[in-house]
Amino acid sequence: MTRHYLTIVFRAKIELGDVTPHNIKQLKLLNQVVFPVSYNEKFYKDVLEAGELAKLAYYNDIVVGAVCCRVDTSENSRRLYIMTLGCLYPYRRLGIGTVMVQHVLNYVERDGNFDSIFLHVQVNNEGAIDFYKKFGFEIVETKKYYYKRIEPADAHVLQKTLRPHNQTSTQ
Protein backbone atom coordinates (compact mmCIF):
# COMPACT_ATOMS: atom_id res chain seq x y z
CA MET A 1 0.00 0.00 0.00
CA THR A 2 1.46 3.35 -1.00
CA ARG A 3 0.79 6.46 0.98
CA HIS A 4 0.61 9.89 -0.49
CA TYR A 5 1.36 12.81 1.76
CA LEU A 6 0.04 16.22 1.07
CA THR A 7 2.49 18.95 1.95
CA ILE A 8 0.83 22.25 2.73
CA VAL A 9 2.97 25.34 2.51
CA PHE A 10 1.43 28.12 4.55
CA ARG A 11 2.51 31.61 3.68
CA ALA A 12 1.82 34.21 6.31
CA LYS A 13 0.35 37.44 5.06
CA ILE A 14 1.94 40.57 6.56
CA GLU A 15 0.23 43.84 5.67
CA LEU A 16 0.23 47.42 6.91
CA GLY A 17 -3.00 49.35 7.31
CA ASP A 18 -4.00 52.90 8.19
CA VAL A 19 -4.76 53.99 11.73
CA THR A 20 -8.32 55.35 11.77
CA PRO A 21 -10.83 56.47 14.42
CA HIS A 22 -12.36 52.98 14.04
CA ASN A 23 -9.19 51.07 15.00
CA ILE A 24 -7.30 53.54 17.23
CA LYS A 25 -8.37 51.50 20.28
CA GLN A 26 -6.45 48.53 18.87
CA LEU A 27 -3.34 50.73 18.68
CA LYS A 28 -3.85 51.87 22.30
CA LEU A 29 -4.20 48.27 23.49
CA LEU A 30 -1.18 47.14 21.51
CA ASN A 31 0.97 49.96 22.91
CA GLN A 32 -0.13 49.14 26.47
CA VAL A 33 1.00 45.55 26.00
CA VAL A 34 4.22 46.16 24.05
CA PHE A 35 5.74 49.25 25.70
CA PRO A 36 6.64 49.93 29.35
CA VAL A 37 5.53 53.57 28.98
CA SER A 38 2.03 54.91 28.45
CA TYR A 39 1.05 57.41 25.80
CA ASN A 40 -1.36 60.29 26.34
CA GLU A 41 -4.38 61.34 24.31
CA LYS A 42 -2.37 63.96 22.39
CA PHE A 43 -0.12 61.16 21.10
CA TYR A 44 -3.15 59.31 19.70
CA LYS A 45 -4.71 62.50 18.32
CA ASP A 46 -1.44 63.23 16.46
CA VAL A 47 -1.26 59.63 15.21
CA LEU A 48 -4.72 59.97 13.63
CA GLU A 49 -3.39 62.90 11.59
CA ALA A 50 -0.09 61.24 10.69
CA GLY A 51 -1.29 59.51 7.50
CA GLU A 52 1.45 57.26 6.09
CA LEU A 53 3.56 57.86 9.19
CA ALA A 54 1.31 55.67 11.36
CA LYS A 55 0.51 52.09 10.39
CA LEU A 56 -0.94 49.03 12.04
CA ALA A 57 0.78 45.75 11.18
CA TYR A 58 -1.44 42.78 10.39
CA TYR A 59 -0.32 39.16 10.47
CA ASN A 60 -2.95 37.05 8.68
CA ASP A 61 -5.50 39.84 9.31
CA ILE A 62 -4.74 40.12 13.05
CA VAL A 63 -3.30 43.38 14.44
CA VAL A 64 0.06 42.39 15.95
CA GLY A 65 2.19 45.53 15.63
CA ALA A 66 2.33 49.20 14.83
CA VAL A 67 4.69 51.97 13.83
CA CYS A 68 4.07 55.66 14.59
CA CYS A 69 6.37 58.44 13.41
CA ARG A 70 6.44 62.21 13.16
CA VAL A 71 8.50 64.80 11.32
CA ASP A 72 10.99 66.60 13.57
CA THR A 73 12.49 69.91 12.41
CA SER A 74 14.69 70.72 15.42
CA GLU A 75 18.47 71.13 15.29
CA ASN A 76 18.38 72.83 11.86
CA SER A 77 17.51 69.62 10.07
CA ARG A 78 14.47 67.68 8.89
CA ARG A 79 14.40 64.31 10.59
CA LEU A 80 11.89 61.51 10.91
CA TYR A 81 11.31 60.46 14.51
CA ILE A 82 10.08 56.92 15.16
CA MET A 83 7.90 57.43 18.24
CA THR A 84 6.89 53.78 18.51
CA LEU A 85 7.59 50.62 16.57
CA GLY A 86 6.56 47.42 18.25
CA CYS A 87 5.17 43.96 17.79
CA LEU A 88 3.41 41.54 20.15
CA TYR A 89 5.92 39.11 21.64
CA PRO A 90 4.59 35.84 20.07
CA TYR A 91 4.83 37.44 16.60
CA ARG A 92 8.42 38.67 16.84
CA ARG A 93 11.08 37.35 14.47
CA LEU A 94 8.54 36.73 11.72
CA GLY A 95 9.51 39.74 9.60
CA ILE A 96 6.80 42.10 10.85
CA GLY A 97 9.23 44.65 12.33
CA THR A 98 11.23 44.53 9.11
CA VAL A 99 8.10 45.33 7.08
CA MET A 100 7.42 48.32 9.35
CA VAL A 101 11.00 49.65 9.17
CA GLN A 102 10.98 49.13 5.39
CA HIS A 103 7.79 51.22 5.19
CA VAL A 104 9.58 54.04 7.07
CA LEU A 105 12.68 53.76 4.85
CA ASN A 106 10.52 53.81 1.70
CA TYR A 107 8.65 56.86 3.01
CA VAL A 108 11.80 58.92 3.60
CA GLU A 109 13.26 57.78 0.27
CA ARG A 110 10.12 58.83 -1.65
CA ASP A 111 10.08 62.16 0.18
CA GLY A 112 13.79 62.73 -0.48
CA ASN A 113 14.06 65.61 1.98
CA PHE A 114 15.06 64.01 5.29
CA ASP A 115 18.51 64.28 6.86
CA SER A 116 18.07 61.31 9.19
CA ILE A 117 15.74 58.94 11.02
CA PHE A 118 16.05 58.61 14.79
CA LEU A 119 14.44 57.02 17.84
CA HIS A 120 14.98 56.35 21.53
CA VAL A 121 15.58 52.86 22.92
CA GLN A 122 15.91 51.87 26.56
CA VAL A 123 19.62 51.13 27.16
CA ASN A 124 18.96 47.53 28.24
CA ASN A 125 16.84 46.65 25.19
CA GLU A 126 19.58 44.83 23.30
CA GLY A 127 17.10 43.07 21.00
CA ALA A 128 15.79 46.40 19.69
CA ILE A 129 19.30 47.89 19.42
CA ASP A 130 20.54 44.91 17.39
CA PHE A 131 17.38 45.02 15.24
CA TYR A 132 17.87 48.68 14.28
CA LYS A 133 21.61 48.24 13.67
CA LYS A 134 20.72 45.76 10.89
CA PHE A 135 19.14 48.71 9.05
CA GLY A 136 22.15 51.00 9.48
CA PHE A 137 21.11 52.78 12.68
CA GLU A 138 23.90 53.74 15.10
CA ILE A 139 23.91 54.81 18.73
CA VAL A 140 24.74 58.52 18.56
CA GLU A 141 23.95 59.59 22.12
CA THR A 142 22.79 58.30 25.49
CA LYS A 143 20.26 60.41 27.39
CA LYS A 144 20.31 60.02 31.15
CA TYR A 145 16.91 59.86 32.87
CA TYR A 146 15.04 60.01 29.55
CA TYR A 147 12.22 57.77 30.76
CA LYS A 148 10.02 58.55 33.74
CA ARG A 149 8.77 55.78 36.04
CA ILE A 150 10.65 52.91 34.37
CA GLU A 151 14.04 51.34 35.01
CA PRO A 152 16.58 51.76 33.59
CA ALA A 153 15.57 55.36 32.87
CA ASP A 154 18.37 55.99 30.36
CA ALA A 155 17.83 55.82 26.60
CA HIS A 156 20.12 55.45 23.64
CA VAL A 157 19.40 57.68 20.66
CA LEU A 158 19.69 55.56 17.53
CA GLN A 159 20.04 57.34 14.23
CA LYS A 160 20.32 56.46 10.57
CA THR A 161 21.92 59.32 8.67
CA LEU A 162 20.45 59.80 5.20
CA ARG A 163 22.53 62.79 4.15
CA PRO A 164 25.33 64.74 5.87
CA HIS A 165 24.26 67.60 8.11
CA ASN A 166 24.28 71.01 6.41
CA GLN A 167 26.85 72.44 8.80
CA THR A 168 30.48 72.47 7.74
CA SER A 169 32.36 69.72 9.51
CA THR A 170 35.89 70.08 10.79
CA GLN A 171 37.84 66.92 10.03
Side-chain angles (χ1 to χ4, degrees), residues 41-70:
E41 284 307 308
K42 185 188 181 324
F43 172 90
Y44 293 104
K45 184 179 171 293
D46 292 346
V47 163
L48 281 172
E49 295 167 10
E52 287 297 300
L53 292 179
K55 291 289 182 184
L56 290 173
Y58 294 86
Y59 185 83
N60 293 330
D61 300 323
I62 302 163
V63 174
V64 297
V67 57
C68 300
C69 308
R70 67 175 159 76

Side-chain angles (χ1 to χ4, degrees), residues 72 74-75 79 81 118-123 139-148 152-158:
D72 178 279
S74 63
E75 301 181 23
R79 310 182 302 163
Y81 179 58
F118 74 111
L119 65 141
H120 293 87
V121 174
Q122 209 173 2
V123 292
I139 296 172
V140 294
E141 185 183 354
T142 301
K143 294 202 171 183
K144 291 279 187 203
Y145 314 113
Y146 177 77
Y147 294 107
K148 317 273 183 274
D154 301 346
H156 288 312
V157 177
L158 274 76

Side-chain angles (χ1 to χ4, degrees), residues 17-129:
D18 294 339
V19 178
T20 69
H22 301 289
N23 62 23
I24 191 91
K25 282 191 172 120
Q26 286 185 289
L27 175 64
K28 288 179 185 180
L29 244 128
L30 185 92
N31 284 350
Q32 285 170 6
V33 173
V34 173
F35 300 109
V37 293
S38 55
Y39 296 92
N40 59 27
E41 284 307 308
K42 185 188 181 324
F43 172 90
Y44 293 104
K45 184 179 171 293
D46 292 346
V47 163
L48 281 172
E49 295 167 10
E52 287 297 300
L53 292 179
K55 291 289 182 184
L56 290 173
Y58 294 86
Y59 185 83
N60 293 330
D61 300 323
I62 302 163
V63 174
V64 297
V67 57
C68 300
C69 308
R70 67 175 159 76
V71 177
D72 178 279
T73 52
S74 63
E75 301 181 23
N76 292 336
S77 64
R78 187 166 182 261
R79 310 182 302 163
L80 189 74
Y81 179 58
I82 300 176
M83 299 184 291
T84 61
L85 188 150
C87 183
L88 294 172
Y89 190 80
Y91 295 90
R92 291 183 188 164
R93 301 196 175 281
L94 298 173
I96 297 156
T98 298
V99 169
M100 291 188 286
V101 171
Q102 204 54 60
H103 173 75
V104 171
L105 295 175
N106 293 345
Y107 180 90
V108 296
E109 191 179 312
R110 275 193 315 272
D111 180 278
N113 199 24
F114 284 97
D115 298 305
S116 63
I117 306 168
F118 74 111
L119 65 141
H120 293 87
V121 174
Q122 209 173 2
V123 292
N124 66 338
N125 192 343
E126 292 173 20
I129 294 163

